[in-house]
Amino acid sequence: MTEETPGFEEKPDVPSGAASDDAVEAAESPSAEEGAAAPAGDANQTDQSVGLTAQLDQARTALAERTADLQRLQAEYQNYRRRVERDRVAVKEVAIANLLSELLPVLDDIGRAREHGELVGGFKSVAESLETTVAKMGLQQFGKEGEPFDPTVHEALMHSYAPDVTETTCVAILQPGYRIGERTIRPARVAVAEPQPGAAPASKEEQSADEESGGPEEG
């Protein structure tokens, strides 16, 4: 009889090839986990790129809006400056015109004194200084005998007919007119003459023929 040793169990023999397969599987299992984790990392990077692109688009939109606001503000400021400058010039012109309007009677007296030969001595010096000063301020005198009547700058105080005029003409300047630039302070007050009624003006052809022949033919 054989005696069995208690507590000792025999284990079946394990082939050497089985141990090698287990080791290979154990070695390959981390690679499989890494392969599964790789697509998740790519997805996170894609999400981050999309988020950054959206933020960049928002920043560009905000920049364009702020730039448009700045350009609009600059345009409004330039318009404001031009309007203020235009108003300033207009107010200055009105103030000068009001001042010079008060001096027109004095200038009329000086003109009448000059016509009558009374502008002499110290009065002449003062008068010429005043005329020089108002001229520097832009005051201009207008109105001459023989110029066509213009109702926008002339005021007719006397009317007559004359055979030697072909249109309504200023034949006498009763009071000169004054202007500052394009602004008329006072129209020239004049006496006008019109062609006599029924007198037919010579045609241009007749006038040209008279000029070429040296004048109308004598009978």
Side-chain angles (χ1 to χ4, degrees), residues 41-160:
D42 294 340
N44 292 335
Q45 292 180 357
T46 302
D47 293 341
Q48 291 179 357
S49 299
V50 172
L52 292 175
T53 302
Q55 293 179 1
L56 181 59
D57 292 340
Q58 292 178 356
R60 288 175 176 173
T61 302
L63 177 61
E65 292 176 354
R66 299 299 179 272
T67 302
D69 292 340
L70 179 59
Q71 292 175 347
R72 182 167 57 255
L73 182 61
Q74 288 179 340
E76 291 177 356
Y77 178 67
Q78 293 297 332
N79 292 334
Y80 169 76
R81 287 187 58 186
R82 285 192 290 267
R83 184 168 61 254
V84 169
E85 181 64 19
R86 184 172 59 250
D87 293 343
R88 185 185 68 81
V89 173
V91 169
K92 180 180 178 181
E93 291 179 353
V94 170
I96 294 176
N98 292 336
L99 173 62
L100 296 178
S101 296
E102 298 297 327
L103 295 176
L104 294 186
V106 179
L107 297 175
D108 292 336
D109 292 339
I110 293 174
R112 284 189 289 267
R114 182 178 287 111
E115 291 176 357
H116 292 85
E118 298 176 355
L119 197 63
V120 294
F123 178 52
K124 178 180 179 181
S125 177
V126 173
E128 291 177 349
S129 297
L130 178 61
E131 290 175 337
T132 301
T133 300
V134 296
K136 289 181 179 179
M137 297 177 69
L139 186 66
Q140 299 176 353
Q141 186 182 98
F142 67 91
K144 295 181 180 179
E145 294 183 4
E147 63 184 6
F149 175 75
D150 185 354
T152 62
V153 295
H154 295 140
E155 180 181 354
L157 300 183
M158 299 178 63
H159 177 269
S160 62

Side-chain angles (χ1 to χ4, degrees), residues 1-16:
M1 295 177 64
T2 53
E3 295 181 359
E4 296 179 358
T5 305
F8 179 78
E9 295 180 357
E10 293 182 357
K11 294 183 180 180
D13 295 336
V14 178
S16 59

Side-chain angles (χ1 to χ4, degrees), residues 162-167 194-204 206-207 210:
D164 57 344
V165 297
T166 58
E167 60 181 342
E194 292 182 342
Q196 290 183 348
S203 63
K204 293 182 179 180
E206 294 177 352
Q207 292 178 357
D210 291 341

